[in-house]
Amino acid sequence: MIPKNKHDVEAVNVLHRMHATEVIPLLPQLLEWIQDMNWPVAEPVLEVLLQYPTEITAHVEEVLLGEDDMWIYWCLVKVFPALPYFSKLVLANAVEQLAMQRITPFNEDNVQAAKEALQSLEVQK
């Protein structure tokens, strides 16, 4: 069940009761609900997403390689730190690309968040 709007927390409660085979196909659409973690539905959706770290990794990588700076930021500061080490390794190249970008007023937070994400990966070795 995909939330209908940013306040549809009840839809997320239904997701918690659904079988994994029903939830996994919805993960790309659910990931869209963390484009802004200020939305009421974002944290509950994040909890659902993190139950499927292997399945969301490729979708998170697409976000990190994309153009939506706010979505990239939330993936770096909310999703990446909560993923298991093996998922972080899969995402390491995309995060490194972000960390190496020339800093502009539009991407400064993402570059810093990417550098911190890489540092946390080094600590986990």
Side-chain angles (χ1 to χ4, degrees):
M1 159 116 6
I2 302 296
K4 291 176 178 56
N5 59 58
K6 64 183 179 181
H7 300 285
D8 192 6
V9 177
E10 185 53 40
V12 183
N13 292 336
V14 172
L15 286 166
H16 283 290
R17 297 188 298 269
M18 292 170 61
H19 191 271
T21 56
E22 298 172 298
V23 177
I24 290 170
L26 304 175
L27 294 176
Q29 292 169 280
L30 291 172
L31 189 62
E32 293 175 13
W33 285 102
I34 66 162
Q35 288 175 320
D36 187 338
M37 290 302 296
N38 295 305
W39 294 337
V41 76
E43 284 290 341
V45 167
L46 180 61
E47 291 175 19
V48 172
L49 292 169
L50 292 175
Q51 292 176 19
Y52 305 95
T54 302
E55 293 82 0
I56 67 167
T57 300
H59 303 296
V60 172
E61 184 175 36
E62 287 179 36
V63 173
L64 295 177
L65 295 173
E67 301 291 325
D68 188 327
D69 286 330
M70 183 182 290
W71 200 5
I72 291 168
Y73 176 78
W74 290 122
C75 283
L76 287 170
V77 301
K78 290 289 193 173
V79 179
F80 188 87
L83 291 173
Y85 185 71
F86 66 89
S87 293
K88 290 178 181 179
L89 287 177
V90 172
L91 297 172
N93 285 336
V95 174
E96 188 171 16
Q97 286 178 35
L98 289 165
M100 293 173 48
Q101 287 181 349
R102 187 176 63 81
I103 294 177
T104 70
F106 302 106
N107 74 355
E108 184 175 2
D109 291 338
N110 288 352
V111 172
Q112 184 59 38
K115 288 178 180 179
E116 291 172 10
L118 289 174
Q119 289 172 348
S120 73
L121 193 56
E122 289 295 319
V123 171
Q124 286 187 326
K125 278 188 178 178

